[in-house]
């Protein structure tokens, strides 16, 4: 595969800083999988992208201060609270007057996140507005389904997902490897969706919203989330090599999630439930700070 942009190396690395949905949780029953809401760090070589600004964004900032560039590209799946609440706590980035945080939002019919974030982070909902922070913000709107092409030539493909007020899925192709992040999404009647199958086709790693069990889903239909079973169906239908489940239900304990993971791996051995701070180099053996399943994410031909 010929790269459409220069890179210092061909590694494609994903690290989970928040994997819960709806609300953060804490306690010993959540120690293994973690309790922060969505935030993913993606490195294409040395090039950084961040997906979502949930409560996990604070931990990312605290632990990665030495590797943060001056310009940070923050890609929102959408703007619900569990995906935005960590933005003012993204230290040291927001406290550095030399840094610019570029936000990208694709679910508002071309509008940027500026107005929505301005309403959220202002009194009486929040004590200060974002413009009092030392950093600069540059807000970019696009329509999900349009590719994003950055100043350095890097391209990230996008797709509109079925979620209340919409959501954006992202695809990263780098060094002959493919990573797809598909959250938040509700599966449809005709599943797997042909357009989504084409979007994630051949992914070395597919990250998917598996918030509900099959028993929970009927009572939560229309809420914009899915199940691990539908994630497995999509992965198999699209020829994805591995599957990571995120947007974990806040009431699902480590014990329950380990049981779900075992059930899922009986159907797809290269599927697993994401753990907070787990790091994956796509195309190399899976590694993490906990004890996740050991598997190899095969390189694309």
């Amino acid at each position: 595969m010929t790269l459409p942009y220069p890179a210092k190396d061909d590694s494609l690395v994903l690290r989970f800083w928040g994997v819960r949905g709806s609300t953060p949780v804490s306690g010993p029953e959540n120690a293994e999988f973690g309790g922060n809401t969505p935030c993913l760090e993606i490195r294409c070589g040395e090039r950084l992208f961040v997906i979502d600004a949930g409560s996990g964004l604070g931990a990312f900032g605290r632990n990665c201060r030495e590797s943060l560039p001056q310009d940070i590209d923050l890609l929102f799946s959408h703007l619900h609270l569990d995906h935005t609440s960590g933005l003012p706590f993204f230290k040291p980035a927001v406290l550095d007057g030399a840094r610019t945080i570029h936000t990208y939002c694709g679910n508002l019919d071309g509008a940027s996140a500026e107005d929505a974030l301005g309403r959220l982070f202002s009194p009486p909902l929040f004590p200060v507005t974002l413009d009092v922070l030392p950093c600069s913000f540059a807000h970019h709107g696009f329509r999900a389904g349009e590719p994003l092409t950055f100043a350095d030539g890097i391209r990230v493909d996008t797709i509109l997902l079925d979620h209340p007020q919409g959501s954006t899925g992202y695809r990263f192709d780098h060094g002959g490897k493919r990573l797809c992040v598909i959250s938040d999404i509700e599966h449809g009647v005709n599943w797997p969706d042909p357009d989504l199958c084409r979007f994630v086709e051949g992914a070395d790693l597919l990250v998917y919203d598996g918030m509900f069990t099959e028993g929970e889903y009927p009572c939560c239909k229309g809420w914009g989330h899915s199940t691990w079973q539908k994630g497995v169906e999509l992965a198999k239908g699209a020829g994805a090599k591995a599957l990571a489940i995120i947007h974990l239900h806040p009431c699902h304990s480590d014990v329950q999630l380990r049981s779900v993971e075992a059930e899922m791996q009986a159907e797809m051995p290269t599927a697993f439930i994401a753990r907070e701070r787990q790091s994956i180099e796509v195309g190399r053996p899976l590694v993490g700070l906990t004890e996740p399943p050991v598997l190899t994410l095969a390189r694309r031909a």
Side-chain angles (χ1 to χ4, degrees), residues 237-287:
K241 297 177 179 67
L243 171 68
I245 295 298
I246 63 167
H247 213 281
L248 309 180
H249 197 294
C251 293
H252 292 175
S253 68
D254 291 342
V255 171
Q256 182 174 359
L257 290 171
R258 282 194 297 268
S259 176
V260 167
E261 186 173 63
E263 187 179 354
M264 180 170 60
Q265 288 176 351
E267 294 193 20
M268 184 177 178
T270 56
F272 61 97
I273 295 178
R275 288 141 169 95
E276 193 171 305
R277 305 200 182 196
Q278 183 177 10
S279 180
I280 300 167
E281 183 174 355
V282 179
R284 301 257 177 126
L286 185 68
V287 296

Side-chain angles (χ1 to χ4, degrees), residues 54-99:
S55 62
L57 185 63
F60 167 58
R62 290 191 298 273
N63 286 273
C64 299
R65 65 178 63 237
E66 301 302 324
S67 61
L68 289 178
Q70 291 303 109
D71 288 83
I72 300 168
D73 290 317
L74 171 59
L75 313 181
F76 283 111
S77 62
H78 63 306
L79 302 178
H80 289 165
L81 288 176
D82 50 338
H83 297 257
T84 55
S85 62
L87 185 57
F89 308 101
F90 183 23
K91 303 173 183 179
V94 298
L95 299 182
D96 185 346
R99 279 203 168 90

Side-chain angles (χ1 to χ4, degrees), residues 77-263:
S77 62
H78 63 306
L79 302 178
H80 289 165
L81 288 176
D82 50 338
H83 297 257
T84 55
S85 62
L87 185 57
F89 308 101
F90 183 23
K91 303 173 183 179
V94 298
L95 299 182
D96 185 346
R99 279 203 168 90
T100 300
I101 299 175
H102 294 265
T103 73
Y104 295 83
C105 178
N107 69 304
L108 299 180
D109 197 29
S112 78
E114 183 173 11
D115 288 347
L117 294 176
R119 293 194 302 272
L120 174 61
F121 297 112
S122 63
L125 301 178
F126 196 75
V128 298
T129 56
L130 293 180
D131 59 6
V132 307
L133 297 172
C135 75
S136 298
F137 285 94
H139 301 285
H140 310 271
F142 67 97
R143 289 178 171 85
E146 299 173 347
L148 296 175
T149 302
F150 297 86
D152 54 5
I154 291 184
R155 170 174 166 151
V156 177
D157 289 290
T158 74
I159 189 170
L160 182 65
L161 305 178
D162 185 9
H163 189 72
Q165 294 84 57
S167 183
T168 303
Y170 293 97
R171 183 177 70 204
F172 300 82
D173 289 292
H174 181 76
K177 293 150 294 216
R178 172 169 288 176
L179 167 65
C180 298
V181 180
I182 305 299
S183 184
D184 296 12
I185 184 173
E186 183 152 0
H187 55 271
V189 175
N190 297 317
W191 190 262
D193 176 77
D195 290 338
L196 187 56
C197 271
R198 284 190 289 270
F199 186 80
V200 305
E201 182 178 7
D204 296 288
L205 178 62
L206 168 62
V207 180
Y208 186 79
D209 176 343
M211 184 170 184
F212 298 122
T213 66
E214 282 194 325
E216 292 166 338
Y217 175 73
C219 296
C220 306
K221 190 172 182 179
W223 293 13
H225 299 287
S226 190
T227 67
W228 69 260
Q229 287 90 346
K230 296 302 180 182
V232 168
E233 288 180 28
L234 175 61
K236 289 183 175 180
K241 297 177 179 67
L243 171 68
I245 295 298
I246 63 167
H247 213 281
L248 309 180
H249 197 294
C251 293
H252 292 175
S253 68
D254 291 342
V255 171
Q256 182 174 359
L257 290 171
R258 282 194 297 268
S259 176
V260 167
E261 186 173 63
E263 187 179 354

Side-chain angles (χ1 to χ4, degrees), residues 12-79:
L12 177 56
V13 179
L14 163 67
R15 193 168 190 183
F16 299 99
W17 290 97
V19 298
R20 292 283 169 178
S22 298
T23 183
V25 294
S26 64
E29 67 275 14
N30 307 120
E32 179 178 347
F33 292 89
N36 279 310
T37 58
C39 178
L40 307 182
E41 171 193 1
I42 295 170
R43 303 267 180 176
C44 299
E46 296 184 1
R47 180 63 155 85
L48 170 68
F49 293 96
V50 181
I51 295 183
D52 282 332
S55 62
L57 185 63
F60 167 58
R62 290 191 298 273
N63 286 273
C64 299
R65 65 178 63 237
E66 301 302 324
S67 61
L68 289 178
Q70 291 303 109
D71 288 83
I72 300 168
D73 290 317
L74 171 59
L75 313 181
F76 283 111
S77 62
H78 63 306
L79 302 178

